[in-house]
Amino acid sequence: MSYEFHNSLVDVVVVVGVDSETGLKFMPSPSQESDDVFNSEYNVRLLAVISDKSARYPASTESRDYTYPPSELRVKQYKRNTLSRRATIKAAYYGQSEEESVEEYNIPTLCFPDGAYLYTNPPSEKAHSFVLTHITGDRKYATCLTYYQTFVAEMVKEEVYKIEPERFSADLTTLQQAQFRCFIPTCVVLVSKYPYFEVMKDCLSCVVSKLKAKSLEFKTVLQEFALTVTRVPVPPYGPLNVGFQMGMLHIDVRAPLSVGRLPIDVHLGNLFFLFSVEKILDILTCLLMQQNMVFVSADISLLAPTIESFMALIYPFTWRYVYVPLVPSSCLDLLEAPGTNLYGCHNSSLKKISKIPGIVAVDIDTGNILSATDECHNRASLPNDHSNDDEFLEIPKMPTDAVYILKQELRKIAMNYELERGHLLTPLSLSEARSQRADFHHNCNSQIVAAFFQLWVHIFCEVTDFLKAEKKHFNREQFLESQAKNERSFYSKVLHTDMFRQFLNGLINKDADWGQSFFRLLPKVSSSGRLCTGIPANRLSKAITKSSSGCLNQNIADDIPQKTTTFLLPAILGVKHQQVHFYQRCIEELGNTVKADSSSSMQATCLYMKALLQIANGNTIEGLETLNELHVTGSKLCPLTLAQKVLESISDKERQKLEKMDFFKHNSMWRNLGTDSKTFQYSNTSTVSIDSVPKRPVDLEAFAKHVEQLDIAVDSEVISRLFHALTFNKETDDGEQMKGFGLYRQTRLE
């Protein structure tokens, strides 16, 4: 077993580009202009791949640094024999461990989505983000920063050049005729399980400035950087943020806004400067309808943050399908793939997108929605004419009463930092200025998320009236019939999607992270039959009480900790010959944090972080015991899936020791987790059936199931008589039986 740090901020640091060992190898070009090296694309390589366990340099003659990590930061690890699930595990050290693999993600192409080129003058450093999706569906989030170094290049053979860094300004005057000076881009990438785009950008800004200043110490600077970012713990939902020092910057890693959801590290208020509220709602509707969609922009750095912002707004709905926020220009054929897809690409691809039937394009730069329908194919000016794009795309409108409430709530939210802080004194330090801006964005995000969660509660509040949890069935037909005619188009498009089915599953599963909040915030029926907004209510069950709008937002805000504490990490580097391991020092500091704030939420947060630090430090039994302590408190923070993973990976010796522990024997949770992971997963998940009346013949057993689910009858004798009345052609008996069933049905309804 590898003692993985399961909640580390960064999984791996990657560097992409070329250096003096790789040289320059230009790609063959059909263009006649290929002789111009500044207009020719060249191949880039993985120069460095550094995790918390290993440092690899794939393009170097010394492909691995076996002295990394330093001895004072090493933890003994175990390597599993893959012959069986509970096979013998043998001890190994980091020098023999299996390093982080990144080749399968094709990171170089995503770092240079339009290809890599030489420059005569250095452009400004730039950052952009992208998402890596594994074949299993797991996602990782990456931010890369591109900077430029000066090299002297000289042709070795056709399309191959050797390059050397230009160390001194004197080289400018000593260039030989076959040599030329150029600026070559290098990308430093951080890959994480969490979408902390801004935090990763801050970290990259620090290391790139250091790499430029100490280019001769490239490997040393990178390794010291990786030692820090791969050991920063990400806090769970709660009152605790994690802070650490990176160069001159103090960086805070903020906790998620609720249990079970990913952190939001983009300013959601930016959406409202890019799109109107109506367009935002239309885009959310397309997402709920599982439309094939692509976001485009002239600035690729806007793609991932914008799409992730929409992912945050549709919560508790989740996008579980193809998700590629940045499609490189060499992979544009991917846009034509069938299925439910969500892409992002440069707006130069709009002409190609316009020829793909059924795809919805969202232009971030203009704030418009484009549709590639048959009518659109006849519009030669589609990429430039955005005047009436929506006329070719029928997007059903959300219920007007819920939308009205949303707009009222959004008007109360301050989204522009400069306008809201203009009357205050100017911060006198960079740290204070960054802290004030981060607090403003965090509060803004909290209010926006609350407003949109309230929107979904308003829209789908009546779903619970037609959802029978005990039978795991949702009556879609009856629900649609109960809605106003002008709103049935929206509901009919959404109710048939897999996203809605997963939403229903979340409602009936008691352990759903958002389920309790949804039920607690369900609007109450007003005795007057009018909405608090003054709009006549067409259905009493959707009417909101006099103060419900404010109450709902207040209830959502109650889920977000009002007072937070920053846990400052102890120094990772500069503590050679330290007798106490870094993880152990973090655990001790967490104990001091609990002493300062003994609230239940703070205790739960610290227990969570302590357990994961113990597991990362190789103290698996102690970590599981801490998780047990967290579970006993009743906190939702207990990561059962992680506990299951750890249990499956421990050695037989550790397993025997664990089974003798009192906490393991007395808590039934561990017995349930001891089963196969897939069995445990499915045993804790219920699936809702939303099937309508069957279209094919069924036997009596299946007929009885459907009749009960559709609430037609529950008595077995009545169901049997109805079945025979519908399957046998006996006119007299049929009439009498159907008449009797009608009387039964009427009596039952009364």
Short mmCIF file of all heavy atoms in Angstrom, two decimals, residues 418-445:
data_model
loop_
_atom_site.label_atom_id
_atom_site.label_comp_id
_atom_site.label_asym_id
_atom_site.label_seq_id
_atom_site.Cartn_x
_atom_site.Cartn_y
_atom_site.Cartn_z
N GLU A 418 -14.64 46.50 -6.66
CA GLU A 418 -14.21 47.90 -6.67
C GLU A 418 -15.35 48.83 -6.27
O GLU A 418 -15.14 49.80 -5.53
CB GLU A 418 -13.68 48.28 -8.05
CG GLU A 418 -12.26 47.82 -8.33
CD GLU A 418 -12.16 46.31 -8.51
OE1 GLU A 418 -13.20 45.68 -8.82
OE2 GLU A 418 -11.06 45.75 -8.34
N LEU A 419 -16.57 48.56 -6.76
CA LEU A 419 -17.70 49.42 -6.43
C LEU A 419 -18.07 49.33 -4.96
O LEU A 419 -18.42 50.33 -4.32
CB LEU A 419 -18.91 49.06 -7.29
CG LEU A 419 -18.84 49.43 -8.78
CD1 LEU A 419 -20.09 48.94 -9.50
CD2 LEU A 419 -18.67 50.92 -8.95
N GLU A 420 -18.00 48.14 -4.42
CA GLU A 420 -18.42 47.94 -3.03
C GLU A 420 -17.37 48.40 -2.03
O GLU A 420 -17.71 48.75 -0.90
CB GLU A 420 -18.76 46.46 -2.80
CG GLU A 420 -19.95 45.97 -3.59
CD GLU A 420 -21.20 46.75 -3.28
OE1 GLU A 420 -21.45 47.05 -2.09
OE2 GLU A 420 -21.96 47.07 -4.22
N ARG A 421 -16.11 48.38 -2.42
CA ARG A 421 -15.04 48.72 -1.48
C ARG A 421 -14.46 50.10 -1.74
O ARG A 421 -13.48 50.49 -1.11
CB ARG A 421 -13.90 47.69 -1.59
CG ARG A 421 -14.36 46.24 -1.49
CD ARG A 421 -14.76 45.85 -0.11
NE ARG A 421 -13.66 45.92 0.82
CZ ARG A 421 -13.72 45.49 2.09
NH1 ARG A 421 -14.86 45.00 2.56
NH2 ARG A 421 -12.68 45.60 2.89
N GLY A 422 -15.07 50.84 -2.67
CA GLY A 422 -14.52 52.13 -3.05
C GLY A 422 -14.45 53.14 -1.92
O GLY A 422 -13.58 54.02 -1.91
N HIS A 423 -15.36 53.06 -0.93
CA HIS A 423 -15.39 54.04 0.15
C HIS A 423 -14.44 53.68 1.30
O HIS A 423 -14.29 54.45 2.25
CB HIS A 423 -16.81 54.13 0.70
CG HIS A 423 -17.30 52.85 1.33
ND1 HIS A 423 -17.68 51.76 0.57
CD2 HIS A 423 -17.46 52.49 2.64
CE1 HIS A 423 -18.06 50.78 1.38
NE2 HIS A 423 -17.93 51.19 2.63
N LEU A 424 -13.79 52.51 1.21
CA LEU A 424 -12.92 52.07 2.29
C LEU A 424 -11.48 52.48 2.02
O LEU A 424 -11.09 52.79 0.89
CB LEU A 424 -13.00 50.55 2.44
CG LEU A 424 -14.37 49.99 2.80
CD1 LEU A 424 -14.33 48.47 2.87
CD2 LEU A 424 -14.88 50.57 4.11
N LEU A 425 -10.67 52.48 3.07
CA LEU A 425 -9.27 52.84 2.93
C LEU A 425 -8.52 51.79 2.11
O LEU A 425 -8.85 50.60 2.13
CB LEU A 425 -8.62 52.97 4.31
CG LEU A 425 -9.15 54.10 5.21
CD1 LEU A 425 -8.45 54.07 6.55
CD2 LEU A 425 -8.96 55.46 4.54
N THR A 426 -7.50 52.24 1.43
CA THR A 426 -6.68 51.33 0.62
C THR A 426 -5.84 50.45 1.54
O THR A 426 -5.17 50.95 2.45
CB THR A 426 -5.76 52.14 -0.31
OG1 THR A 426 -6.56 52.98 -1.13
CG2 THR A 426 -4.91 51.21 -1.16
N PRO A 427 -5.84 49.13 1.33
CA PRO A 427 -4.99 48.25 2.13
C PRO A 427 -3.52 48.62 1.97
O PRO A 427 -3.06 48.95 0.87
CB PRO A 427 -5.27 46.85 1.56
CG PRO A 427 -6.59 46.98 0.88
CD PRO A 427 -6.66 48.38 0.37
N LEU A 428 -2.78 48.57 3.04
CA LEU A 428 -1.38 49.01 3.03
C LEU A 428 -0.40 47.87 2.78
O LEU A 428 0.81 48.10 2.73
CB LEU A 428 -1.05 49.71 4.35
CG LEU A 428 -1.88 50.96 4.66
CD1 LEU A 428 -1.44 51.58 5.98
CD2 LEU A 428 -1.77 51.98 3.53
N SER A 429 -0.90 46.66 2.63
CA SER A 429 -0.01 45.53 2.35
C SER A 429 -0.68 44.62 1.33
O SER A 429 -1.91 44.58 1.21
CB SER A 429 0.30 44.74 3.62
OG SER A 429 -0.86 44.07 4.10
N LEU A 430 0.17 43.90 0.60
CA LEU A 430 -0.35 42.96 -0.40
C LEU A 430 -1.18 41.88 0.27
O LEU A 430 -2.24 41.49 -0.25
CB LEU A 430 0.82 42.32 -1.16
CG LEU A 430 0.46 41.21 -2.15
CD1 LEU A 430 -0.43 41.75 -3.27
CD2 LEU A 430 1.73 40.59 -2.74
N SER A 431 -0.74 41.40 1.42
CA SER A 431 -1.46 40.34 2.12
C SER A 431 -2.86 40.80 2.52
O SER A 431 -3.84 40.06 2.35
CB SER A 431 -0.68 39.91 3.36
OG SER A 431 -1.38 38.94 4.09
N GLU A 432 -2.96 42.02 3.02
CA GLU A 432 -4.26 42.55 3.43
C GLU A 432 -5.18 42.74 2.23
O GLU A 432 -6.38 42.43 2.28
CB GLU A 432 -4.08 43.88 4.16
CG GLU A 432 -5.38 44.48 4.71
CD GLU A 432 -5.16 45.83 5.36
OE1 GLU A 432 -4.00 46.31 5.39
OE2 GLU A 432 -6.15 46.42 5.84
N ALA A 433 -4.63 43.24 1.12
CA ALA A 433 -5.43 43.45 -0.09
C ALA A 433 -5.95 42.13 -0.63
O ALA A 433 -7.13 42.01 -1.01
CB ALA A 433 -4.60 44.17 -1.14
N ARG A 434 -5.10 41.12 -0.68
CA ARG A 434 -5.52 39.80 -1.16
C ARG A 434 -6.57 39.19 -0.26
O ARG A 434 -7.53 38.57 -0.72
CB ARG A 434 -4.31 38.87 -1.28
CG ARG A 434 -3.41 39.18 -2.46
CD ARG A 434 -2.10 38.39 -2.38
NE ARG A 434 -2.32 36.99 -2.08
CZ ARG A 434 -2.63 36.07 -2.98
NH1 ARG A 434 -2.77 36.42 -4.25
NH2 ARG A 434 -2.79 34.81 -2.63
N SER A 435 -6.40 39.35 1.05
CA SER A 435 -7.35 38.79 2.00
C SER A 435 -8.73 39.43 1.87
O SER A 435 -9.75 38.74 1.88
CB SER A 435 -6.82 38.97 3.43
OG SER A 435 -7.74 38.50 4.37
N GLN A 436 -8.76 40.76 1.72
CA GLN A 436 -10.04 41.46 1.57
C GLN A 436 -10.76 41.04 0.30
O GLN A 436 -11.97 40.82 0.30
CB GLN A 436 -9.82 42.97 1.60
CG GLN A 436 -9.44 43.53 2.95
CD GLN A 436 -9.32 45.05 2.94
OE1 GLN A 436 -9.65 45.70 1.94
NE2 GLN A 436 -8.86 45.63 4.04
N ARG A 437 -10.02 40.94 -0.80
CA ARG A 437 -10.64 40.54 -2.06
C ARG A 437 -11.15 39.10 -1.98
O ARG A 437 -12.24 38.78 -2.46
CB ARG A 437 -9.65 40.70 -3.21
CG ARG A 437 -10.22 40.35 -4.58
CD ARG A 437 -9.18 40.59 -5.67
NE ARG A 437 -8.94 42.01 -5.86
CZ ARG A 437 -9.64 42.78 -6.68
NH1 ARG A 437 -10.65 42.26 -7.37
NH2 ARG A 437 -9.36 44.05 -6.82
N ALA A 438 -10.35 38.21 -1.38
CA ALA A 438 -10.76 36.80 -1.25
C ALA A 438 -12.01 36.67 -0.39
O ALA A 438 -12.91 35.88 -0.71
CB ALA A 438 -9.61 35.98 -0.67
N ASP A 439 -12.07 37.44 0.70
CA ASP A 439 -13.27 37.40 1.55
C ASP A 439 -14.50 37.89 0.79
O ASP A 439 -15.59 37.32 0.92
CB ASP A 439 -13.05 38.28 2.79
CG ASP A 439 -12.07 37.67 3.78
OD1 ASP A 439 -11.85 36.44 3.70
OD2 ASP A 439 -11.53 38.41 4.62
N PHE A 440 -14.33 38.95 0.01
CA PHE A 440 -15.44 39.48 -0.77
C PHE A 440 -15.95 38.43 -1.77
O PHE A 440 -17.16 38.19 -1.87
CB PHE A 440 -15.01 40.75 -1.51
CG PHE A 440 -16.08 41.34 -2.38
CD1 PHE A 440 -17.01 42.23 -1.85
CD2 PHE A 440 -16.16 41.01 -3.73
CE1 PHE A 440 -18.01 42.77 -2.66
CE2 PHE A 440 -17.14 41.54 -4.54
CZ PHE A 440 -18.07 42.43 -4.00
N HIS A 441 -15.04 37.80 -2.51
CA HIS A 441 -15.44 36.80 -3.49
C HIS A 441 -16.08 35.59 -2.82
O HIS A 441 -17.05 35.02 -3.34
CB HIS A 441 -14.22 36.36 -4.30
CG HIS A 441 -13.75 37.41 -5.27
ND1 HIS A 441 -12.55 37.31 -5.95
CD2 HIS A 441 -14.30 38.58 -5.66
CE1 HIS A 441 -12.39 38.37 -6.72
NE2 HIS A 441 -13.44 39.16 -6.55
N HIS A 442 -15.56 35.20 -1.66
CA HIS A 442 -16.13 34.05 -0.94
C HIS A 442 -17.57 34.35 -0.51
O HIS A 442 -18.47 33.52 -0.68
CB HIS A 442 -15.27 33.72 0.27
CG HIS A 442 -15.77 32.56 1.07
ND1 HIS A 442 -15.64 31.27 0.67
CD2 HIS A 442 -16.44 32.52 2.27
CE1 HIS A 442 -16.19 30.46 1.56
NE2 HIS A 442 -16.68 31.20 2.54
N ASN A 443 -17.78 35.54 0.05
CA ASN A 443 -19.14 35.90 0.48
C ASN A 443 -20.08 36.01 -0.72
O ASN A 443 -21.24 35.60 -0.64
CB ASN A 443 -19.10 37.23 1.25
CG ASN A 443 -18.38 37.12 2.57
OD1 ASN A 443 -18.33 36.04 3.17
ND2 ASN A 443 -17.78 38.20 3.04
N CYS A 444 -19.59 36.58 -1.81
CA CYS A 444 -20.40 36.69 -3.02
C CYS A 444 -20.77 35.31 -3.55
O CYS A 444 -21.93 35.06 -3.89
CB CYS A 444 -19.64 37.49 -4.08
SG CYS A 444 -20.50 37.66 -5.64
N ASN A 445 -19.79 34.41 -3.62
CA ASN A 445 -20.06 33.05 -4.09
C ASN A 445 -21.08 32.35 -3.21
O ASN A 445 -21.96 31.64 -3.71
CB ASN A 445 -18.76 32.24 -4.12
CG ASN A 445 -17.85 32.63 -5.26
OD1 ASN A 445 -18.24 33.40 -6.14
ND2 ASN A 445 -16.63 32.14 -5.25
#
